[in-house]
Amino acid sequence: MKPNLLFTFIIVSFLTYSCTSQEKTKTQIAWDTWGVPHITADTVEELFYAQGWAQMHNHANLILKLYGGARGKGAEYWGQEQFGNDRLVHTLGFDQLADDWEKNQDPELKIIYTSFINGMNAYATLHPEAIDEKNKVVLPLTTKDVNMHSMYVIFTRFIAGNDLGHIQQWPDMGSNAYAIAPSRSASGNAMLVQNPHLPWWQEFLFFESHLNLKGKNMYGATLVGFPGIAIGFNKNLGWTHTNNTIDNADTYELNLKGKGYLLDGKQKAFETSSKTIKIKLKDGKMIDEEIPILKTVHGPVVNKTENKVLALRMVGLDKPNMLLQWWRMINSNTFNEFESALKMAQIPFWNVMYADKTGDIFYLFNGLVPKRTENAWAYWDRIIPGGKSADIWSEVHQYADLPKVKNPVNGWLQNANDPPWTSTIPMSLNPNDFPGYMSPQSMSFRPQRSARMLIEDESITFDELVDYKLSTHLEFADRILDDLFIAIDASDSELAKRAKIVLQNWDRTADADSKGMLLFYSWAQKFNVWNDTNYKEKWNIDKPNTTPDGIADPDRAVQLLEKTVRELETKFGSLDIAWGEYYRINYNGKNLPANGADGSMGIFRVAWPGGRNDDHMFVGGGDSWVGVIEFGDTVKAKVLLSYGNATQKDSPHYGDQLELFSKKELRDAWFTKAEVKSNTKRIEVMTDNGFREKK
């Protein structure tokens, strides 16, 4: 080859390689018609930079509010009403804990956090118009914000939510989960149902995204402000979480003596410090409020009276890599890899339900369970009196100790916030094989309905699984109506007999057009479904999915029905009002008929009430993220993020999926390259300074 031709060949080859290489590594966000970002990147840094950018695009003001509150500076930024939350953050020591976590976190997680925060800050810098003036004070964001926000949510809303009195605000917060084995699947493929039930606001909102790292597709959702995917799937496997019946926080009531408290009958001094909280007044002026912080050997003091204090002890404070474990889970390709991620034991809460392409299904009672001295659940499920050092635990059970089931003979696994023992029916886990404090023994009507739908179907299709997920049939109605009708027939109540006609004609569902649901629901609220003494036959672990049964006091049941009839006829003039006329979705200006109800009714489609007026009741939470996935040669998935994937006030995706929720429909998850391309609304390409829209 002549020299000049050789030189030309080299230059052309170099330019061709450079262009190809540049094209290959170009990170982009393809936004689909539901506001879901499909992010393609070749490096972890650019992937999470893009996810941070995308979260800010959809939730900028919400993220700033959440991060500002998690810093313990809400009162300084937004006023006196945030003071209680700030005091909690500082009392629990999250500020110092976040510094400790940053020092000890895995280098890979530090890269993820740094990239995620850089992407969020870049969006805020380039799009100041998207941010309300009152929220700009939170900027710039830092990696410490991610740590403080994640610990705030996980510790105060989940691990210690009950101990801090927060769960009472969201009494039906929970989840459903199914894993179907090939032996029970009509297609011969394993299937999975993902279905958390959380409030439809603030720190409980999910963010949906599709991540493609070097050609590996990962899809799912995480809580707003968290990087990565916490409930998700790839082409080989998927998992979901449900709140488990785990007790991994304890509140201790300690008697005061002198300037200290009693421990084993002897006075012990508090570890004392203080924190100054700035408070912004309505006129814009700042004042300082100093709060005393007391700490016992049990943990920080969260309440104090004249003679006693309450101290809180929580697991997980020494687990700084929680979000890294989720990243390892979504990157797994086999069950062994997935289980290795679980054995990191960084995630202190939540059951895990799993299914994969090879046909494996798996359930784990996941979390950090303290090793305790007293064996009984009831001993720890309370405010623990006195100051015995023997009650202070320090170690937790290892992965090997936790209840788990893989590939059960019945071909399915379920969890609807019931204890692990009823993940299969018949039960394959024996509670006597585990410490008594591991989990209680119970199975309420929602998990009973959950199990019943699977028990009655020997060959489950994908479409049937979708129908089961969306089912509003009431297990409690099936259990109790026959006994209620007998009680009505034995009475001379004309009001009750009129009600019986409506209830006999009712389809026993909570669909929007169901007539009789309002009557039954109103009666059931008075009857008190949760009270075991209301039943002739109490719940029995030997018959976990068919008890309780029978009405212990038929006369009382009829009297409550009479009272319900009078109330409904006075208010509505009728007993057969359609459920959706009364129960409504009222979210971001949308007003739609609702379906579902709180899970106490034995409904799998949970939509629990969050408010009401004289004429209507409104959905406040329930089905949040929904995913139904089949792991065949290609992944088949239907999903829904009930309230939409954005909260920015000008976003078209703020509540845009509620129409589907109202109609009991899911949508396709666009997972493959072809699906994403055909449903892309616009594309943003990464530059040296954020992202720009591709023309």
Side-chain angles (χ1 to χ4, degrees):
M1 184 179 290
K2 293 181 179 180
N4 61 335
L5 291 178
L6 177 60
F7 179 76
T8 302
F9 175 78
I10 292 172
I11 293 298
V12 170
S13 298
F14 174 77
L15 291 174
T16 302
Y17 172 81
S18 297
C19 291
T20 303
S21 177
Q22 185 178 14
E23 185 65 30
K24 179 183 177 184
T25 59
K26 188 174 290 184
T27 296
Q28 69 173 34
I29 306 172
W31 291 94
D32 72 22
T33 53
W34 292 107
V36 177
H38 301 260
I39 300 170
T40 303
D42 276 351
T43 67
V44 168
E45 291 90 338
E46 292 188 358
L47 184 80
F48 282 97
Y49 181 93
Q51 195 189 37
W53 175 280
Q55 279 210 31
M56 283 293 276
H57 177 272
N58 283 16
H59 294 289
N61 286 292
L62 174 60
I63 288 170
L64 294 176
K65 289 177 183 176
L66 296 179
Y67 279 19
R71 284 178 185 172
K73 292 189 174 184
E76 178 182 341
Y77 297 155
W78 302 299
Q80 177 74 40
E81 63 275 10
Q82 304 290 324
F83 177 76
N85 187 78
D86 292 350
R87 181 169 52 194
L88 176 64
V89 168
H90 294 298
T91 295
L92 296 180
F94 288 165
D95 187 66
Q96 180 59 51
L97 183 61
D99 291 334
D100 295 340
W101 277 18
E102 285 209 311
K103 293 176 186 176
N104 297 313
Q105 279 169 331
D106 188 284
E108 184 180 5
L109 186 59
K110 291 181 180 181
I111 291 171
I112 289 171
Y113 280 10
T114 298
S115 302
F116 185 68
I117 286 295
N118 287 344
M120 288 203 280
N121 282 329
Y123 185 88
T125 299
L126 292 172
H127 294 281
E129 75 286 351
I131 299 172
D132 294 345
E133 285 298 323
K134 65 180 180 179
N135 297 329
K136 290 181 178 179
V137 65
V138 184
L139 294 168
L141 304 177
T142 69
T143 54
K144 185 174 181 177
D145 289 322
V146 187
N147 274 319
M148 293 192 73
H149 174 60
S150 62
M151 64 179 60
Y152 176 83
V153 171
I154 291 168
F155 289 119
T156 76
R157 272 38 186 163
F158 292 98
I159 291 175
N162 187 54
D163 291 79
L164 292 170
H166 293 156
I167 293 300
Q168 290 79 354
Q169 303 173 47
W170 319 296
D172 210 37
M173 191 167 78
S175 311
N176 296 325
Y178 277 156
I180 312 299
S183 63
R184 204 73 176 220
S185 167
S187 67
N189 298 322
M191 296 185 288
L192 178 71
V193 170
Q194 306 167 327
N195 182 212
H197 308 147
L198 296 181
W200 285 6
W201 61 78
Q202 298 298 321
E203 64 270 20
F204 297 105
L205 296 181
F206 282 98
F207 177 74
E208 177 182 355
S209 59
H210 175 199
L211 309 180
N212 185 311
L213 179 62
K214 296 181 180 178
K216 180 166 187 175
N217 281 308
M218 299 167 276
Y219 201 107
T222 191
L223 293 175
V224 170
F226 285 42
I229 290 173
I231 294 176
F233 63 92
N234 57 43
K235 70 176 184 178
N236 295 312
L237 56 81
W239 80 94
T240 189
H241 289 301
T242 61
N243 288 2
N244 45 351
T245 49
I246 189 171
D247 183 359
N248 51 14
D250 282 317
T251 301
Y252 300 82
E253 184 181 67
L254 307 172
N255 293 314
L256 296 176
K257 184 173 183 180
K259 294 183 178 181
Y261 60 98
L262 289 177
L263 181 67
D264 296 328
K266 297 179 180 179
Q267 182 177 332
K268 188 170 182 60
F270 290 104
E271 182 182 325
T272 62
S273 62
S274 64
K275 189 75 176 182
T276 299
I277 297 176
K278 292 185 177 299
I279 302 173
K280 185 178 182 179
L281 302 179
K282 291 182 179 180
D283 61 5
K285 293 180 180 178
M286 290 283 184
I287 61 171
D288 290 340
E289 178 91 12
E290 186 175 16
I291 59 167
I293 297 175
L294 303 178
K295 192 172 182 181
T296 71
V297 294
H298 310 75
V301 171
V302 293
N303 200 358
K304 186 177 185 294
T305 65
E306 185 177 349
N307 300 314
K308 299 178 185 294
V309 296
L310 296 180
L312 177 66
R313 191 171 190 81
M314 300 182 288
V315 301
L317 300 176
D318 58 344
K319 302 294 183 180
N321 293 314
M322 286 184 276
L323 275 75
L324 180 62
Q325 182 174 332
W326 276 312
W327 181 235
R328 298 274 171 84
M329 289 160 68
I330 196 65
N331 275 280
S332 300
N333 294 307
T334 66
F335 175 76
N336 287 340
E337 290 178 5
F338 188 82
E339 189 175 35
S340 293
L342 294 179
K343 289 177 180 178
M344 292 173 64
Q346 294 290 308
I347 299 174
F349 197 80
W350 299 296
N351 293 299
V352 174
M353 190 72 74
Y354 166 96
D356 68 28
K357 188 176 180 178
T358 67
D360 285 331
I361 63 172
F362 178 69
Y363 162 77
L364 170 68
F365 182 78
N366 177 71
L368 303 175
V369 180
K371 290 184 177 180
R372 293 176 159 123
T373 52
E374 295 287 340
N375 195 47
W377 173 266
Y379 184 88
W380 301 98
D381 188 33
R382 58 175 184 157
I383 294 177
I384 301 168
K388 294 193 301 180
S389 57
D391 286 339
I392 304 172
W393 41 263
S394 57
E395 296 182 3
V396 298
H397 283 275
Q398 300 301 306
Y399 175 84
D401 299 340
L402 302 176
K404 59 183 78 67
V405 181
K406 186 181 180 186
N407 298 332
V409 294
N410 65 316
W412 56 262
L413 291 160
Q414 76 82 33
N415 185 266
N417 308 122
D418 45 324
W421 330 122
T422 46
S423 56
T424 62
I425 299 290
M427 295 187 300
S428 55
L429 289 172
N430 184 347
N432 295 325
D433 294 336
F434 300 88
Y437 57 71
M438 183 69 70
S439 188
Q441 298 179 24
S442 66
M443 192 182 194
S444 61
F445 288 113
R446 176 162 56 91
Q448 289 188 33
R449 178 65 191 166
S450 171
R452 178 178 172 181
M453 290 188 289
L454 300 186
I455 290 170
E456 295 177 351
D457 193 341
E458 292 290 334
S459 181
I460 304 167
T461 68
F462 181 85
D463 290 341
E464 286 172 334
L465 195 59
V466 170
D467 289 342
Y468 296 155
K469 168 55 226 101
L470 299 174
S471 172
T472 66
H473 195 99
L474 277 72
E475 186 73 13
F476 179 58
D478 286 348
R479 186 68 50 82
I480 211 70
L481 273 179
D482 56 344
D483 301 295
L484 182 59
F485 290 161
I486 291 171
I488 293 170
D489 291 341
S491 76
D492 57 2
S493 170
E494 292 302 318
L495 288 177
K497 294 182 190 303
R498 287 213 316 273
K500 180 185 174 184
I501 295 172
V502 175
L503 294 174
Q504 283 179 318
N505 292 329
W506 172 45
D507 60 4
R508 300 188 181 183
T509 73
D511 287 340
D513 59 356
S514 296
K515 295 183 177 181
M517 173 60 186
L518 178 57
L519 172 62
F520 183 77
Y521 180 81
S522 301
W523 171 80
Q525 294 296 296
K526 294 177 174 61
F527 179 79
N528 192 354
V529 178
W530 296 104
N531 189 341
D532 211 37
T533 63
N534 286 331
Y535 303 99
K536 187 178 295 184
E537 182 180 8
K538 309 298 187 286
W539 184 82
N540 186 338
I541 196 169
D542 295 326
K543 297 191 288 183
N545 59 316
T546 57
T547 55
D549 197 10
I551 297 176
D553 188 345
D555 291 340
R556 171 179 172 269
V558 172
Q559 291 168 5
L560 293 176
L561 186 60
E562 290 178 318
K563 183 177 181 181
T564 302
V565 169
R566 293 190 191 97
E567 289 176 355
L568 293 184
E569 288 188 335
T570 299
K571 181 175 287 187
F572 300 109
S574 174
L575 297 180
D576 59 355
I577 302 295
W579 180 237
E581 290 183 27
Y582 172 71
Y583 198 29
R584 307 292 296 179
I585 298 166
N586 185 11
Y587 188 93
N588 192 34
K590 297 182 183 296
N591 195 318
L592 299 163
N595 58 81
D598 62 90
S600 67
M601 299 290 102
I603 294 178
F604 204 63
R605 167 52 166 264
V606 172
W608 43 269
R612 68 184 71 205
N613 58 28
D614 290 340
D615 301 315
H616 297 100
M617 187 167 67
F618 303 101
V619 176
D623 277 15
S624 303
W625 168 255
V626 177
V628 182
I629 305 110
E630 181 176 353
F631 295 98
D633 292 335
T634 58
V635 173
K636 181 179 182 181
K638 293 274 190 180
V639 299
L640 191 74
L641 188 54
S642 299
Y643 35 70
N645 205 32
T647 52
Q648 288 293 92
K649 57 189 176 184
D650 58 347
S651 173
H653 307 297
Y654 191 178
D656 64 338
Q657 297 180 50
L658 287 168
E659 287 85 354
L660 295 177
F661 181 95
S662 180
K663 294 186 290 186
K664 291 177 64 179
E665 295 178 3
L666 304 182
R667 56 182 180 80
D668 292 329
W670 295 317
F671 189 66
T672 67
K673 186 175 181 179
E675 290 169 340
V676 173
K677 183 177 180 181
S678 61
N679 293 285
T680 293
K681 187 175 181 181
R682 66 186 184 90
I683 294 175
E684 289 184 305
V685 180
M686 188 173 177
T687 69
D688 292 337
N689 185 24
F691 284 79
R692 61 171 175 78
E693 190 160 342
K694 184 177 180 180
K695 302 300 183 182

